[in-house]
Amino acid sequence: MLISDIMRTTLIKVRPEAPIGNVLIWYGGMSHVFRNTYVVDHCDRLLGVVTIHTLLSIIVPPSVTSLAGDLSGREELLVVLRRNIATISDTPVGDLMDSDYPFAHPEDLFIMASELIVEKGITALPVIDPNGVLVGEITRRMILHFLVQNL
């Protein structure tokens, strides 16, 4: 079974100059589960990846976690978190992207993607064509779903 048989093609794609605040707004309004924001050029070639993990680590850094016990309640914590979001809101996505993120190709076997996902401890892999154009993504859940349905 090839990655192209399992992958999804609906993705979050942005240009490197897009502000992080826009990405956060999109995440807040989505009903589907997306774990990665893919940064692409004008031809949809993959430049890098911003994961939810990266976004969370910026919004809720260890300094906030250590302050949590000193905050007087929910509202005070939300004020601190809103301030963190406001601080990064105008930051270009390209400043936060991982440009060395692993990827797969549509014609690869899905087990190769599974091995890479497990080895790297990530939730999803971008799938690019021979020209570097982002054509989809394959996730742990997609692979597990396929295995459970077919074994």
Side-chain angles (χ1 to χ4, degrees):
M1 181 68 58
L2 302 178
I3 289 174
S4 60
D5 298 322
I6 301 173
M7 72 181 194
R8 72 170 151 211
T9 57
T10 304
L11 309 167
I12 300 175
K13 298 188 282 187
V14 298
R15 301 285 185 265
E17 63 275 3
I20 285 292
N22 289 2
V23 174
L24 294 174
I25 290 168
W26 293 330
Y27 273 110
M30 287 184 199
S31 58
H32 290 66
V33 176
F34 292 98
R35 291 173 181 83
N36 293 336
T37 299
Y38 296 104
V39 185
V40 297
D41 68 10
H42 66 285
C43 294
D44 273 355
R45 287 183 298 250
L46 183 65
L47 301 174
V49 178
V50 178
T51 65
I52 286 181
H53 181 268
T54 299
L55 295 174
L56 284 175
S57 68
I58 293 169
I59 297 168
V60 188
S63 59
V64 169
T65 307
S66 65
L67 276 178
D70 297 334
L71 300 175
S72 61
R74 178 179 187 268
E75 276 309 309
E76 193 172 339
L77 177 59
L78 291 177
V79 166
V80 170
L81 295 174
R82 285 185 193 111
R83 190 176 322 124
N84 286 351
I85 289 175
T87 300
I88 66 161
S89 174
D90 292 329
T91 302
V93 175
D95 289 359
L96 300 178
M97 73 180 186
D98 179 351
S99 58
D100 194 30
Y101 202 83
F103 58 85
H105 297 285
E107 66 278 358
D108 292 342
L109 294 174
F110 81 93
I111 56 172
M112 295 171 73
S114 177
E115 180 181 13
L116 195 52
I117 286 171
V118 170
E119 177 187 313
K120 298 292 184 181
I122 56 178
T123 59
L125 274 176
V127 181
I128 62 171
D129 74 8
N131 298 316
V133 174
L134 181 64
V135 294
E137 118 181 311
I138 186 164
T139 68
R140 296 181 303 192
R141 182 169 289 162
M142 290 171 195
I143 294 168
L144 185 59
H145 177 76
F146 173 80
L147 291 170
V148 169
Q149 295 294 317
N150 291 284
L151 297 181

